[in-house]
Amino acid sequence: WHDTSDSYINNSTGTLYARGDTISLNALSTTDKYFDATNGGAANLYYDNSKKLETKTDGVDITGELQCDSLDVDGVADITGNVTLHANLDLQDDDKILLGTGDDLEIYHDGSNSYVKDNGTGSLILETNGHSVDIKHGSEYCARFKEDADVELYYDNSVKLETKSDGVDITGELQCDSLDVDGGADI
């Protein structure tokens, strides 16, 4: 019915069916499409006469950005392009970050220990554009590797072995099974 302003189709009992080999919902004053569907084929949604969602035999094709409050993917996600996260990547125990064509590098936690595992060819290289690489336990250093300077190994946050430009400095006792000194020795 039409109430002098708007038109209505109202069905309060059962199912309302619209049947046809092709169904299209268009704007009256223009050729803009809202929706179209073909029997045995795709159903399409439009925005400003531009197709944004199309059903396909293997799922749905979305043109443009998909915004949602949550996304639950049960299966494999194949993403081409960069992924930008604005929060955490929250993996559970034994879930892995796999890098490289052959999953050459793994980063994971097994519930007890954390791993950076190199499964590929070549070396595992840690590189920084900063001044040092520090290995710490809380506030205590275990090892420090300083750019163009010394390497320090610690025991209970105290330097015990430090490289220098002319050799190595050891603080404390040096225990070894044998000692071979090539050159002069100052004892």
Side-chain angles (χ1 to χ4, degrees):
W1 77 89
H2 185 73
D3 68 1
T4 69
S5 299
D6 300 308
S7 296
Y8 299 89
I9 298 173
N10 189 8
N11 179 45
S12 60
T13 306
T15 303
L16 174 65
Y17 292 97
R19 295 183 179 184
D21 285 336
T22 301
I23 297 174
S24 184
L25 181 60
N26 301 330
L28 183 61
S29 60
T30 66
T31 58
D32 284 356
K33 289 184 178 183
Y34 301 136
F35 170 80
D36 66 33
T38 304
N39 185 18
N44 304 302
L45 290 175
Y46 295 82
Y47 178 84
D48 195 22
N49 210 32
S50 177
K51 188 187 325 180
K52 297 300 176 182
L53 187 139
E54 174 185 7
T55 61
K56 308 183 319 175
T57 57
D58 62 346
V60 175
D61 189 9
I62 296 175
T63 302
E65 183 178 332
L66 172 63
Q67 293 181 357
C68 55
D69 293 336
S70 71
L71 181 62
D72 184 359
V73 177
D74 296 325
V76 175
D78 185 0
I79 299 171
T80 301
N82 294 331
V83 175
T84 302
L85 302 175
H86 296 280
N88 299 320
L89 175 61
D90 187 3
L91 302 176
Q92 305 306 305
D93 289 347
D94 295 314
D95 291 342
K96 296 179 179 181
I97 296 173
L98 303 174
L99 302 169
T101 302
D103 298 336
D104 299 323
L105 180 65
E106 300 178 3
I107 302 172
Y108 64 98
H109 182 77
D110 69 3
S112 299
N113 298 298
S114 298
Y115 297 88
V116 175
K117 186 175 179 184
D118 180 11
N119 296 318
T121 59
S123 300
L124 175 63
I125 299 171
L126 302 177
E127 186 173 329
T128 179
N129 63 355
H131 299 291
S132 69
V133 174
D134 298 335
I135 300 173
K136 296 176 77 176
H137 178 265
S139 64
E140 291 190 5
Y141 288 104
C142 299
R144 297 188 81 188
F145 304 87
K146 299 178 185 176
E147 177 185 14
D148 297 328
D150 59 326
V151 171
E152 299 172 347
L153 298 180
Y154 290 76
Y155 180 84
D156 196 20
N157 208 32
S158 179
V159 176
K160 296 300 177 182
L161 186 139
E162 179 178 8
T163 61
K164 323 185 299 182
S165 62
D166 63 345
V168 176
D169 188 7
I170 296 175
T171 302
E173 182 180 340
L174 173 63
Q175 294 181 357
C176 57
D177 293 337
S178 67
L179 181 62
D180 184 2
V181 178
D182 295 328
D186 184 9
I187 300 177

